[in-house]
């Protein structure tokens, strides 16, 4: 039985940086060669970065990708690695029956509305200075954050490459998630290994889902399966790596760590390739080497430990923030540090992502800012080593008030907007990336001031519910204690009653249900897309449902203007959830469902005053 030493290069690609990504492939190929690899693979569209979105429709970008691939093949050969097969994800254009050959807008397989230029999401096998084989992704996801069916042309043939006497079948990401297609075809073709390149974004608990899927598909294909994923942040997406190799029985053979670049090397005993079956259609066979390599002592299998659920989210947020800042040319961040839990967690995240010395935290007290909040802000800045500054806003607010007569909500929002002006001024003058500190719960119900605390270029907590913010704070402090470090977040910031401190004695629960209840309702309404009747059937009080749903629906226009932030849930605000701003539909217009005993007492109840629709911050 042939032995194949497989190297999976779990790397971070920069979208659009074709020369830089090609250099990454060359560098990690050198590492794989030094480890004695017989086959090295890189993730989905690693050469261009992923997802390319509508750049796929630009002929210039497709041409650049194809040219970069050809140059990469030449460079790898010149580097001395021409005999080592290298599998690389890249952007190409359709050929043969995948293409619209006569220009009538219909591909040869009958698909209408072919995307401009017929781009394809592809994998290439580079060998001896040339592109030895090519595979085009079959299944194009068109849900959640994906719109690949709109911008790509699907492939149809399975590519099987023979490496040192082993037949290796190729697939790309969504091909693994859909029944049939390349996985079933790999079994028919007698493949000894199914290699899947992925650009699969992180979501909470998704690693367990992926592992179960990989195990199921390996059993279906009847051979080991190697799942290789990107790592790093790209706009609102976070790629967590977590690459894995499973056997034909679904057992884990090797697994890479999460949220870090890594070369996972696995020695696999695989079946000897046989003559291709002529009765299996739509399979392209490419022979690179028929003879098995000499046997050698196998390396011990590597199985990196899993992060716990809350630690996984923390690392996802750090990865998303560091990737966004670095890839957009920022080396430092700035934000308002109030002493509350949200800005405290953002400060700790930023320190982990960029280093405390690159974190500019600004306290901007008003006449309503409590002394304990000021003290907590100073304490946190000292703990993380931030550049801490104090800039009172009373004089700025008084200047506006002399010119305008403002009361109530307008006066409260003026304070937040004064802070926004100061933070943006620091960004403009010193070149920092501004971080918005609002969380998902606040964003959902519009509990933030537009052009005030909502200003920013990136929002680390955009997809983090308030209750999870508290969990993250406690996890990070516990992790610091475990490592013998000073916990970054003051206990007072975690335990104090949440307040925007825009008026005397204000608390969040003056306007909102308790966050434990609010977040549960939001999970059903925003993530679960449940309507009013379904929320009532789930046992939520009708007054709370009507209050929360109304706030969420009214805040859509605010969310459209909010900064991007890392996606950690199955439904994040943005491309995951696309609703019109202008709409007269309200859940209260839906048919009512009579209350029954099953709806009573199953959930926390809100304070009666909070169930009455109140003024929202705008």
């Amino acid at each position: 039985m042939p032995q194949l030493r497989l190297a999976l290069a779990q790397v971070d690609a920069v979208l659009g940086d074709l020369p830089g990504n090609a250099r990454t492939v060359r560098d990690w190929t050198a590492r794989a060669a030094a480890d004695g690899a017989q086959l090295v693979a890189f993730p989905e569209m690693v050469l261009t970065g992923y997802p390319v979105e509508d750049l796929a429709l630009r002929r210039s970008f497709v041409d650049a990708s194809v040219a970069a691939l050809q140059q990469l093949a030449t460079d790898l050969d010149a580097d001395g690695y021409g005999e080592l097969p290298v599998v690389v994800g890249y952007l190409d254009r359709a050929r043969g029956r995948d293409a619209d050959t006569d220009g009538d807008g219909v591909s040869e397989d009958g698909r209408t509305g072919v995307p401009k230029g017929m781009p394809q999401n592809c994998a290439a096998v580079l060998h001896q200075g040339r592109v030895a084989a090519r595979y085009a992704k079959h299944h194009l996801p068109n849900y959640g954050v994906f719109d690949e069916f709109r911008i790509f042309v699907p492939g149809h043939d399975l590519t099987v490459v023979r490496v040192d006497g082993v037949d290796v079948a190729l697939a790309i990401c969504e091909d693994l998630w859909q029944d049939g297609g390349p996985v079933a075809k790999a079994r028919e073709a007698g493949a000894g290994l199914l290699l899947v390149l992925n650009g699969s974004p992180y979501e909470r608990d998704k690693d367990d889902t992926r592992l179960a899927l990989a195990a199921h598909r390996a059993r279906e294909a009847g051979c080991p399966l190697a799942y290789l994923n990107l790592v790093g942040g790209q706009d609102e997406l976070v790629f967590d790596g977590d690459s894995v190799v499973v056997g034909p029985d679904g057992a884990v053979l090797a697994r890479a760590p999460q949220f870090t670049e890594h070369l996972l090397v696995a020695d696999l005993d695989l079946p000897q390739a046989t003559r291709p079956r002529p009765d299996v259609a739509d399979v392209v066979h490419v022979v690179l080497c028929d003879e098995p390599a000499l046997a050698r002592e196998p390396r011990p299998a590597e199985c990196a430990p899993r992060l716990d659920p809350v630690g996984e989210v923390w690392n996802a947020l750090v990865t998303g923030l560091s990737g966004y800042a670095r890839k957009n040319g920022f080396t430092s961040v700035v934000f308002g540090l109030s002493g509350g839990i949200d800005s405290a967690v953002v400060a700790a995240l930023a320190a982990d992502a960029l280093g405390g010395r690159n974190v500019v935290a600004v306290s901007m007290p008003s006449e309503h800012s409590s002394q304990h909040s000021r003290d907590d802000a100073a304490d946190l800045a000292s703990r993380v080593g931030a550049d801490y500054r104090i800039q009172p806003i009373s004089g700025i607010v008084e200047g506006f008030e002399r010119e305008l007569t403002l009361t109530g909500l307008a006066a409260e929002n003026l304070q937040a907007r004064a802070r926004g002006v100061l933070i943006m001024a620091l960004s403009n003058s010193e070149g920092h990336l501004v971080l918005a500190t609002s969380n998902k719960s606040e964003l959902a119900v519009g509990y933030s001031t537009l052009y005030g605390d909502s200003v920013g270029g990136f929002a680390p907590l955009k997809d983090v519910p308030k209750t999870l913010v508290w969990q993250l704070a406690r996890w990070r402090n516990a992790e610091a204690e475990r490592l013998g470090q000073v916990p970054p977040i003051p206990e007072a910031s975690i335990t104090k009653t949440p307040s925007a401190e825009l008026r005397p004695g204000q608390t969040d629960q003056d306007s909102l249900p308790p966050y434990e209840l609010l977040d549960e309702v939001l999970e059903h309404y925003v993530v679960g897309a449940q309507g009013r009747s379904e929320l009532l059937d789930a046992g939520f009080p009708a007054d709370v449902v009507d209050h929360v749903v109304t706030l969420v629906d009214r805040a859509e226009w605010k969310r459209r203007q909010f900064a991007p932030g890392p996606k950690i849930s199955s439904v994040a605000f943005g491309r995951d959830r696309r609703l019109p701003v202008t709409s007269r539909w309200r859940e209260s217009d839906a048919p009512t469902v009579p209350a029954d005993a099953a709806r009573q007492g199953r959930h926390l109840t809100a304070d009666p005053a909070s169930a009455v629709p109140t003024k929202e911050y705008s």
Side-chain angles (χ1 to χ4, degrees):
M1 181 173 283
Q3 182 190 75
L4 184 71
R5 180 165 291 180
L6 173 68
L8 302 179
Q10 178 177 288
V11 297
D12 183 0
V14 179
L15 203 145
D17 184 8
L18 278 68
N21 295 334
R23 169 53 63 185
T24 295
V25 171
R26 294 171 66 184
D27 290 345
W28 285 76
T29 296
R31 292 179 55 177
D35 276 343
Q38 295 161 260
L39 175 65
V40 57
F42 291 84
E44 179 177 11
M45 298 195 81
V46 68
L47 191 56
T48 57
Y50 181 81
V52 296
E53 302 185 33
D54 281 9
L55 282 175
L57 304 178
R58 294 190 188 178
R59 181 175 297 276
S60 59
F61 190 64
V62 179
D63 289 344
S65 173
V66 174
L69 183 77
Q70 298 286 351
Q71 185 62 50
L72 177 58
T74 300
D75 290 341
L76 286 169
D77 191 43
D79 292 340
Y81 308 120
E83 295 302 320
L84 174 59
V86 179
V87 185
V88 177
Y90 76 109
L91 176 65
D92 202 341
R93 57 175 51 88
R95 306 172 189 176
R97 66 171 176 150
D98 295 345
D100 170 20
T101 56
D102 54 10
D104 63 354
V106 180
S107 65
E108 295 305 299
D109 69 345
R111 176 183 170 185
T112 59
V114 176
K116 178 184 176 183
M118 298 173 291
Q120 281 190 317
N121 182 336
C122 292
V125 182
L126 308 182
H127 187 245
Q128 295 180 340
R130 63 189 179 89
V131 179
R134 175 185 179 277
Y135 171 82
K137 188 174 183 177
H138 290 199
H139 296 291
L140 304 176
N142 205 46
Y143 55 84
V145 299
F146 302 105
D147 55 2
E148 292 198 5
F149 191 78
R150 186 175 68 84
I151 62 172
F152 291 134
V153 173
H156 294 84
D157 293 332
L158 175 70
T159 298
V160 178
V161 180
R162 187 162 299 176
V163 179
D164 291 347
V166 176
D167 277 346
V168 181
L170 303 180
I172 300 177
C173 205
E174 190 71 11
D175 294 337
L176 192 68
W177 292 84
Q178 301 299 326
D179 292 332
V183 176
K185 187 71 68 174
R187 187 183 191 102
E188 293 180 49
L193 174 67
L194 178 57
L195 174 60
V196 187
L197 313 188
N198 297 269
S200 179
Y202 169 78
E203 291 175 13
R204 296 177 71 185
D205 303 320
K206 191 175 182 181
D207 60 333
D208 294 332
T209 303
R210 287 195 198 119
L211 178 58
L213 176 69
H216 173 70
R217 295 304 188 203
R219 288 189 288 267
E220 183 181 338
C223 65
L225 184 151
Y227 175 100
L228 169 60
N229 195 23
L230 277 167
V231 69
Q234 168 57 37
D235 290 348
E236 294 180 299
L237 301 183
V238 178
F239 299 100
D240 54 325
D242 196 26
S243 304
V244 65
V245 181
V246 297
D249 59 353
V252 175
L253 303 179
R255 198 167 188 180
Q258 299 163 279
F259 304 106
T260 184
E261 291 189 306
H262 187 78
L263 187 69
L264 181 65
V265 180
D267 283 328
L268 305 175
D269 292 324
L270 302 171
Q272 173 75 48
T274 60
R275 180 175 297 179
R277 290 173 51 187
D279 59 323
V280 180
D282 304 328
V283 178
V284 176
H285 290 271
V286 177
V287 177
L288 301 183
C289 181
D290 248 332
E291 296 301 316
L294 295 176
R296 52 186 165 178
E297 186 68 23
R299 294 174 50 149
E302 175 187 1
C303 285
R306 303 293 87 203
L307 296 167
D308 68 81
V310 180
E312 189 179 87
V313 172
W314 185 274
N315 280 271
L317 298 175
V318 169
T319 299
L321 173 54
S322 62
Y324 189 86
R326 174 174 52 85
K327 293 176 182 180
N328 284 287
F330 290 99
T331 58
S332 58
V333 295
V334 64
F335 54 91
L337 185 63
S338 68
I341 186 64
D342 296 316
S343 63
V345 169
V346 167
L349 286 167
D352 282 0
L354 303 172
R357 67 185 181 280
N358 297 313
V359 175
V360 180
V362 186
S363 172
M364 295 171 283
S366 73
E367 60 177 315
H368 302 304
S369 300
S370 62
Q371 187 60 48
H372 67 76
S373 289
R374 303 184 196 192
D375 293 342
D376 293 340
D379 185 13
L380 183 142
S382 175
R383 291 173 184 235
V384 302
D387 176 356
Y388 182 59
R389 308 179 190 181
I390 301 175
Q391 177 61 61
I393 64 168
S394 298
I396 298 173
V397 172
E398 289 171 2
F400 273 98
E401 289 177 338
R402 283 195 299 269
E403 302 297 326
L404 301 169
T405 302
L406 301 174
T407 60
L409 183 63
E412 293 174 21
N413 284 342
L414 180 57
Q415 298 169 59
R417 290 185 175 125
R419 292 178 174 126
V421 168
L422 288 174
I423 290 296
M424 290 305 301
L426 283 174
S427 171
N428 293 158
S429 62
E430 299 178 7
H432 312 297
L433 170 64
V434 177
L435 301 182
T437 61
S438 296
N439 59 65
K440 188 175 188 176
S441 306
E442 296 169 343
L443 193 60
V445 296
Y447 195 72
S448 62
T449 303
L450 200 63
Y451 318 123
D453 53 321
S454 68
V455 302
F458 197 70
L461 302 181
K462 182 178 182 180
D463 199 28
V464 181
K466 184 78 169 189
T467 49
L468 182 54
V469 174
W470 277 305
Q471 293 179 52
L472 288 167
R474 294 201 178 281
W475 179 90
R476 184 60 183 87
N477 279 0
E479 183 70 3
E481 291 175 349
R482 184 182 72 82
L483 298 172
Q485 302 169 351
V486 176
I489 301 173
E491 184 66 18
S493 293
I494 300 174
T495 58
K496 71 175 63 175
T497 301
S499 171
E501 293 192 333
L502 297 178
R503 63 174 183 266
Q506 181 187 28
T507 69
D508 291 3
Q509 269 56 68
D510 295 340
S511 304
L512 302 173
Y515 279 114
E516 294 81 3
L517 175 57
L518 174 62
D519 284 353
E520 197 172 354
V521 175
L522 292 174
E523 180 70 18
H524 284 253
Y525 186 55
V526 175
V527 178
Q530 294 182 354
R532 183 177 186 274
S533 294
E534 293 166 295
L535 294 170
L536 296 177
D537 284 338
F540 295 109
D543 53 356
V544 172
V545 169
D546 291 339
H547 178 45
V548 172
V549 164
T550 297
L551 291 177
V552 172
D553 290 350
R554 287 172 56 190
E556 187 63 36
W557 65 282
K558 275 191 185 181
R559 290 189 289 272
R560 291 288 185 95
Q561 302 181 63
F562 204 73
K567 167 185 165 67
I568 63 162
S569 72
S570 60
V571 179
F573 287 122
R575 290 192 302 176
D576 273 333
R577 186 176 184 270
R578 309 177 196 185
L579 293 175
V581 172
T582 304
S583 171
R584 291 189 179 180
W585 168 255
R586 295 291 179 264
E587 280 298 315
S588 58
D589 297 333
T592 57
V593 178
D596 57 46
R599 298 194 194 112
Q600 305 304 317
R602 284 183 49 197
H603 294 271
L604 298 170
T605 56
D607 181 274
S610 70
V612 179
T614 59
K615 294 180 293 185
E616 62 173 330
Y617 289 85
S618 60

